[in-house]
Amino acid sequence: RQILELHQVSKVYGDGTTVVAALREIDLKVNAGEFVAVMGPSGSGKSSLLALAGGLDSTSHGEIYVRGTPLSALSKAERARLRRRAVGYVFQDYNLIPTLNATENVSLPLELDGVKPAKAQRQAKEALRQVGIEDLAGRFIDELSGGQQQRVAIARAIVGDKALILADEPTGALDSVTGEEIMAVLRRRADAGAGVVLVTHEARHAGWADRVVFLRDGRVVDQAIAQNDPHSL
Ligand code: ADP
Ligand code: ADP
């Protein structure tokens, strides 16, 4: 079952005078249960690819399908609803709401989507438990360290059985042991049937993936089956 497809996707940024081709004719498919790592040098298009896949920005050419639905066919409101319902996104800068506590940050997208508050908070606490910070559930964001905030952002992305989880360098603020724990969390989401796309600089983390996609200058230059996936042995 296919969760995500990029079909001949190109992305050009431009302000009229300068033009940057960030992605060029990308083809990529991610199935349910599949964990794909995206690697490549700075500026190769990794963040752009993820942002497009999450419907945060629109393609210049080509089409993106989430669970078979072409994103270009959706209105802005429908895209926002799809994001809340089916897509978990870990932003590089977390994008947490400082006036809410950790639990509320995680439960809010569920509640906006119509999940009853009690259920949403139960699911939020479970997600916080999975990322190892259930004891910080009542803390406000500015009372948390960078690494703890990053774990809240990851909890928000995995809460409520998302079909697609997109994570942009989700372990940058974490020590290596916690980073590995987070990889295990993402691996478990994939094993439970989610499609997972992880942007990472760390070859060690790519080892948790089923497949590694390498970008250079906005093109896919190589795809490899992960060699050291501890779960494939
Ligand atoms: P990566 O995540 O691999 O570092 P990005 O997707 O962030 O790559 O960037 C790819 C290219 O697109 C780079 O040349 C970057 O400067 C450019 N770029 C990314 N976002 C924008 C933007 N909003 N406006 C203009 N150029 C951008
Ligand atoms: P990374 O390389 O880790 O992806 P960047 O520093 O390239 O991070 O990008 C951070 C943010 O700035 C992204 O949202 C990206 O879209 C934007 N950005 C990157 N390059 C440019 C650019 N040349 N002009 C405008 N925005 C940019």
Side-chain angles (χ1 to χ4, degrees):
R1 202 160 48 87
Q2 196 169 289
I3 300 281
L4 174 69
E5 177 176 2
L6 278 71
H7 177 73
Q8 290 285 298
V9 167
S10 296
K11 179 65 184 179
V12 178
Y13 296 104
D15 58 7
T17 49
T18 52
V19 171
V20 178
L23 295 172
R24 307 167 197 245
E25 296 165 357
I26 301 280
D27 286 318
L28 179 67
K29 293 180 185 179
V30 179
N31 286 322
E34 203 176 16
F35 183 164
V36 176
V38 178
M39 302 189 75
S42 185
S44 60
K46 305 181 296 297
S47 293
S48 298
L49 185 155
L50 217 60
L52 294 179
L56 303 173
D57 197 0
S58 50
T59 62
S60 304
H61 301 282
E63 185 62 89
I64 293 176
Y65 303 85
V66 174
R67 290 194 297 192
T69 302
L71 293 185
S72 70
L74 301 179
S75 68
K76 212 172 163 203
E78 288 170 329
R79 262 205 303 280
R81 192 151 57 100
L82 178 76
R83 275 209 306 276
R84 281 201 301 272
R85 190 160 292 190
V87 182
Y89 202 103
V90 186
F91 296 90
Q92 254 182 16
D93 53 2
Y94 318 147
N95 264 8
L96 298 169
I97 301 171
T99 52
L100 300 180
N101 69 30
T103 304
E104 290 162 347
N105 264 275
V106 177
S107 66
L108 181 67
L110 298 173
E111 294 186 38
L112 288 174
D113 200 33
V115 177
K116 295 228 166 59
K119 185 179 179 192
Q121 293 193 12
R122 205 163 54 242
Q123 291 185 331
K125 291 214 169 97
E126 166 57 20
L128 291 170
R129 191 190 62 72
Q130 286 187 44
V131 299
I133 52 167
E134 69 224 285
D135 51 327
L136 302 175
R139 294 267 188 98
F140 286 94
I141 298 308
D142 62 8
E143 299 172 328
L144 299 173
S145 72
Q148 290 165 343
Q149 291 182 22
Q150 192 159 32
R151 288 198 262 183
V152 175
I154 294 159
R156 184 181 55 187
I158 63 168
V159 75
D161 272 334
K162 299 285 192 312
L164 177 62
I165 296 168
L166 306 170
D168 198 347
E169 306 259 11
T171 61
L174 303 176
D175 62 79
S176 61
V177 172
T178 311
E180 291 295 309
E181 283 169 21
I182 295 304
M183 289 304 116
V185 169
L186 295 177
R187 180 70 253 174
R188 280 200 294 277
R189 297 318 306 150
D191 290 343
V196 177
V197 182
L198 165 75
V199 167
T200 184
H201 279 115
E202 307 216 36
R204 189 162 43 88
H205 290 166
W208 290 87
D210 300 307
R211 189 150 55 92
V212 187
V213 173
F214 295 92
L215 292 184
R216 189 154 49 79
D217 296 333
R219 291 185 208 280
V220 175
V221 289
D222 195 14
Q223 296 206 32
I225 304 296
Q227 300 275 301
N228 52 342
D229 181 352
H231 298 262
S232 71
L233 300 175

